[in-house]
Amino acid sequence: MNAVFEAFKTRAEAVSAEVHRFKTREEGLTFILGFLKDAGVSDAPECGAVWAAGTFIDGAAKDDLKVKVPGICFDITQAASAASKVGISQLDWAISATGTLVQDASAVDKRLVSTLPPIHMAVIGTERILADMGSVLEKLRPEQLNYISFITGPSRTADIERVLTIGVHGPERLIIVVVDELQQVTA
Amino acid sequence: MHADTEIKFRDSAAKALLDPQLRANFRRAMDGLIFKRKAQFPNPRDLEDLRDLSTAIRSRSLLNLPALLEQFETQATKNGIQVHWAETCDQANELILGILRSKGAKTLVKGKSMVSEEMHLNAFLEEHGIEALESDLGEYIIQLDGETPSHIIMPAIHKNKNQIARQFSQKIKDAKYTEDVDELTAMARKVLRQKFLDADAGLSGVNFAVAETGTLCLVENEGNGRMSTHVPPIHIAVMGLEKVVATLEDVAPLYAILTRSATGQAVSTYFNLITAPRGAGEKDGPQEMHLVILDNGRSRIYADPQLQATLRCIRCGACMNHCPVYTRVGGHAYEAVYPGPIGKILTPQTEGVGVRHDLIHGSSLCGACGEVCPVKIPIPEILVRLRREATHEDVGSQVNGKGTGRTATEDWAWRLWALANKRPALYRVITWFATRFGNALPAGAPLIKDWTRTRTKPVPARRSLSERVRAKGVPHV
Ligand code: SF4
């Protein structure tokens, strides 16, 4: 698993994503909360964080989290996402060959939190990293899913003089939080 | 029959060559793209394998195209996508206008779509009081100036950052002058973000359509494609009818070769598989999804076994990046929606080989395009075929405007040629004159002027071959 993770990390970092790995869910959560605080997330306007549902967060005491970092919102709408600084969502699979994250984004809130805020934090279990796109397409089938997103790094463009620019319409930072002890149900 | 004055490409190319800024912009950008593509294929063997596979997938898809389209329509309809067919661009435009009107939509925000450029959708909608706003950064830049794309992947590549800085400071409200690319991008983002949130409908293109599942695949880097497809309440997708493939397994290799050939990326930032509109009980996302499938001459191309290869194209742009003509004159000189080598074979087939014979001849047939094309479209061979089609009315050929590209001068020249070659006495007289006086003809003389403009005037031998042979006493000559 370590080799697969390392390959994923190298690839993801090559396209400007930031990758952090934690052993337990608790450690991952602490990191995220710390990050939100440092990023200045608060209940002031335009400073919130939207957090989409997923096994990582579903069991947590959400009210406590809201006390620890005011500004976290679990009730996701387009307006809330557009007005937030950070969007957090759980991803379903990852691809080590290209540093790609894959999401069953049938639930539109997952799309909103990963597109509209300037920072996207993506949580994923270590054992969900697969070799290539083919392996992922065996697991996620569009017959059952309305929308599948493949995300590789933050939003980018090279439309002006081919100068690479990060953060056009989508997020300018993609922070991937990989957690070893995270049970994910197969989507 | 065509007047000789109608050769547009020659004139616009000549004009473009006089613009050193334009040439520098293209040279720099294309060199970068060539280099990045090459870096993605360190092993030529792997590249060839992937090209073979991709070519096979696209050929097979075309072979079964009618059945795949039917299967796709059934599946997509089952998923809740409303499928519409348009034979012409006018019909497609009317269809989209109808959808927007029925919902009372006043603003449409667009992700990148070359088919919508083909339809001139923006102008059509503006005429009917609907604002159509491009959201791809490159498309947005050219829309501000009312220009057309100069490259199918990088629409604003003809401009440098100073030109864009000037343009933004004049056209965007409260914008300051800056040449910092990050700041320019941020300005566009700010304007467009608000437009996204306010838009009544979103439009996107389609890279691949999967028949088996009724899924639309969308490749992009900026995130505007994702936003166009799920932020506004209606999503309209447009595609050419050739875009369909059988299964999802077909998509993986095509996607791999598309991004590598286009921008030299192993994968794009976003790759979206869109199968259905908003699910039951969801608060956001498009309530309605429409797909407009455009023909615009493609069926006619499809009917010809050789020309059908044109439809394999996955619109990567590699042929233009490597084209010695395109890299020097840029995209606008072609005066066509699709510039470069693919445009040279596609445009004459849709608009007529007679009207666009300028494009068919605007090639040195060096073969670079065919060599880099990920789906091995034999562009040079097709160009040669179209050159013939432009001047011949062969039975059985379905080519649009066949035989209408003849010019009076050319016609007469060939008639004289035929006459001279059928009559040995006449041939001898002509060669006698050519060998004695051919040299005295100035390079700028009418008729030979066009030939000598970019070539050295040929120097005739002092005696013709038959004269020399006869002088040697060879019998029966
Ligand atoms: S013709 Fe080939 S190289 Fe040119 S855009 Fe199409 S697929 Fe790419």
Side-chain angles (χ1 to χ4, degrees):
Chain A
M1 204 64 233
N2 273 332
V4 179
F5 167 78
E6 286 306 327
F8 170 77
K9 183 176 152 94
T10 312
R11 288 300 185 157
E13 285 176 347
V15 288
S16 320
E18 300 156 54
V19 184
H20 304 269
R21 182 179 180 181
F22 301 97
K23 203 164 162 39
T24 66
R25 205 170 139 260
E26 230 21 74
E27 286 168 17
L29 194 58
T30 312
F31 168 77
I32 294 175
L33 293 177
F35 179 90
L36 294 181
K37 272 197 201 138
D38 292 346
V41 168
S42 73
D43 45 13
E46 309 278 309
C47 287
V50 274
W51 203 322
T55 51
F56 178 79
I57 190 66
D58 285 350
K62 293 184 179 167
D63 289 336
D64 285 357
L65 297 181
K66 281 191 194 166
V67 175
K68 279 189 195 150
V69 183
I72 297 184
C73 159
F74 296 100
D75 185 23
I76 290 151
T77 59
Q78 182 168 306
S81 307
S84 288
K85 231 181 199 174
V86 185
I88 308 160
S89 62
Q90 187 166 345
L91 277 292
D92 298 295
W93 300 98
I95 302 173
S96 63
T98 48
T100 302
L101 298 166
V102 192
Q103 183 175 45
D104 157 20
S106 304
V108 87
D109 51 351
K110 289 198 195 167
R111 278 176 248 167
L112 294 172
V113 305
S114 61
T115 316
L116 294 174
I119 303 175
H120 175 212
M121 298 189 90
V123 184
I124 185 156
T126 316
E127 90 286 354
R128 309 292 280 193
I129 306 174
L130 304 179
D132 51 25
M133 189 171 180
S135 330
V136 169
L137 288 178
E138 279 167 26
K139 308 268 184 189
L140 287 184
R141 299 296 306 175
E143 288 92 326
Q144 288 117 30
L145 309 171
N146 289 353
Y147 205 113
I148 301 173
S149 300
F150 291 72
I151 302 174
T152 312
S155 149
R156 63 176 57 212
T157 186
D159 273 352
I160 301 181
E161 283 196 11
R162 288 197 54 261
V163 176
L164 178 65
T165 313
I166 302 287
V168 199
H169 295 289
E172 60 197 26
R173 281 180 79 184
L174 172 65
I175 297 154
I176 305 173
V177 180
V178 183
V179 180
D180 290 349
E181 292 168 9
L182 178 65
Q183 294 299 314
Q184 284 184 246
V185 267
T186 304
Chain B
M1 189 138 332
H2 267 268
D4 301 61
T5 48
E6 259 185 65
I7 302 175
K8 301 177 245 175
F9 182 59
R10 194 168 63 197
D11 298 339
S12 43
K15 215 165 95 208
L17 285 172
L18 295 175
D19 184 344
Q21 181 67 67
L22 185 85
R23 289 184 68 175
N25 293 355
F26 272 98
R27 186 73 263 170
R28 202 174 34 233
M30 297 307 118
D31 283 348
L33 288 168
I34 292 172
F35 177 82
K36 282 194 71 189
R37 171 184 174 274
K38 220 169 160 191
Q40 282 296 339
F41 298 111
N43 182 346
R45 192 56 194 266
D46 292 346
L47 168 60
E48 279 318 297
D49 286 350
L50 191 54
R51 284 179 81 212
D52 283 339
L53 179 60
S54 308
T55 307
I57 293 174
R58 286 299 296 142
S59 305
R60 174 161 48 73
S61 313
L62 289 177
L63 211 61
N64 301 325
L65 187 66
L68 287 180
L69 279 169
E70 255 175 58
Q71 187 191 3
F72 173 79
E73 183 184 21
T74 313
Q75 203 53 47
T77 310
K78 221 186 275 170
N79 300 342
I81 302 177
Q82 302 180 39
V83 181
H84 313 266
W85 300 86
E87 200 185 320
T88 62
C89 291
D90 289 342
Q91 284 174 9
N93 284 330
E94 288 292 346
L95 269 167
I96 292 179
L97 181 66
I99 298 168
L100 294 171
R101 284 219 168 126
S102 72
K103 295 282 146 190
K106 286 264 170 292
T107 52
L108 175 75
V109 61
K110 292 178 66 200
K112 194 167 158 30
S113 151
M114 283 308 294
V115 169
S116 77
E117 294 283 349
E118 195 178 325
M119 290 156 53
H120 302 289
L121 175 68
N122 296 3
F124 176 84
L125 290 180
E126 300 286 337
E127 267 168 40
H128 291 84
I130 290 174
E131 183 195 9
L133 188 80
E134 296 289 349
S135 67
D136 173 85
L137 180 60
E139 291 276 351
Y140 173 71
I141 291 170
I142 59 169
Q143 193 184 27
L144 277 182
D145 270 354
E147 288 181 300
T148 52
S150 59
H151 189 281
I152 60 171
I153 300 288
M154 311 208 139
I157 205 65
H158 56 287
K159 284 180 145 60
N160 63 16
K161 60 173 187 270
N162 310 25
Q163 294 168 310
I164 296 168
R166 220 170 312 129
Q167 178 196 17
F168 275 24
S169 66
Q170 288 160 4
K171 305 243 160 112
I172 300 179
K173 218 172 114 228
D174 302 329
K176 66 171 184 5
Y177 183 89
T178 170
E179 286 173 13
D180 183 290
V181 175
D182 283 330
E183 284 182 47
L184 289 170
T185 306
M187 274 183 216
R189 173 191 169 107
K190 207 172 135 216
V191 176
L192 291 168
R193 175 54 71 93
Q194 200 48 49
K195 295 281 183 184
F196 268 119
L197 298 176
D198 298 341
D200 299 321
L203 183 130
S204 76
V206 175
N207 292 95
F208 314 106
V210 185
E212 167 197 49
T213 59
T215 301
L216 305 177
C217 309
L218 194 59
V219 180
E220 56 139 351
N221 280 320
E222 296 185 1
N224 62 321
R226 302 187 84 204
M227 307 236 301
S228 310
T229 57
H230 69 233
V231 174
I234 306 166
H235 169 207
I236 305 170
V238 288
M239 71 172 202
L241 56 73
E242 78 280 16
K243 282 277 182 270
V244 66
V245 295
T247 65
L248 210 56
E249 283 60 44
D250 286 343
V251 169
L254 292 177
Y255 173 61
I257 205 163
L258 170 61
T259 56
R260 286 178 167 89
S261 306
T263 49
Q265 288 173 286
V267 283
S268 57
T269 306
Y270 301 110
F271 181 51
N272 307 302
L273 305 181
I274 308 169
T275 308
R278 177 195 298 198
E282 284 181 358
K283 292 173 290 202
D284 289 304
Q287 288 151 333
E288 275 185 25
M289 241 180 103
H290 296 266
L291 172 69
V292 177
I293 303 178
L294 177 68
D295 186 326
N296 190 27
R298 287 166 172 81
S299 305
R300 203 195 257 249
I301 300 176
Y302 183 73
D304 187 290
Q306 186 192 14
L307 301 176
Q308 192 184 90
T310 315
L311 300 178
R312 291 209 290 258
C313 178
I314 53 172
R315 302 282 189 265
C316 71
C319 54
M320 44 201 85
N321 303 345
H322 291 77
C323 174
V325 177
Y326 177 89
T327 48
R328 281 166 180 80
V329 302
H332 286 153
Y334 294 80
E335 294 177 47
V337 171
Y338 301 95
I342 180 62
K344 276 183 205 168
I345 59 168
L346 187 59
T347 315
Q349 292 188 70
T350 52
E351 291 179 16
V353 278
V355 256
R356 291 321 302 263
H357 69 144
D358 58 333
L359 293 181
I360 308 172
H361 288 277
S363 167
S364 64
L365 299 179
C366 75
C369 46
E371 232 160 79
V372 293
C373 176
V375 286
K376 296 194 173 175
I377 302 177
I379 298 177
E381 279 91 332
I382 293 181
L383 276 173
V384 173
R385 161 85 191 278
L386 294 178
R387 284 181 185 184
R388 182 188 160 80
E389 292 287 345
T391 49
H392 290 73
E393 288 189 63
D394 292 344
V395 222
S397 147
Q398 293 228 20
V399 173
N400 189 4
K402 62 173 176 175
T404 59
R406 303 171 87 108
T407 63
T409 328
E410 215 181 309
D411 246 16
W412 273 108
W414 287 120
R415 244 177 249 179
L416 284 175
W417 179 269
L419 198 72
N421 278 281
K422 270 189 245 161
R423 289 174 180 71
L426 182 61
Y427 184 83
R428 256 181 243 140
V429 173
I430 293 174
T431 46
W432 191 87
F433 271 98
T435 46
R436 264 58 172 196
F437 305 106
N439 241 341
L441 267 180
L447 292 183
I448 63 166
K449 170 171 96 219
D450 278 348
W451 175 265
T452 53
R453 210 162 49 97
T454 50
R455 301 174 185 87
T456 320
K457 189 169 76 87
V459 181
R462 275 215 289 249
R463 294 285 174 271
S464 75
L465 181 62
S466 64
E467 271 183 87
R468 287 170 58 193
V469 169
R470 247 177 301 139
K472 286 216 160 171
V474 179
H476 312 303
V477 200

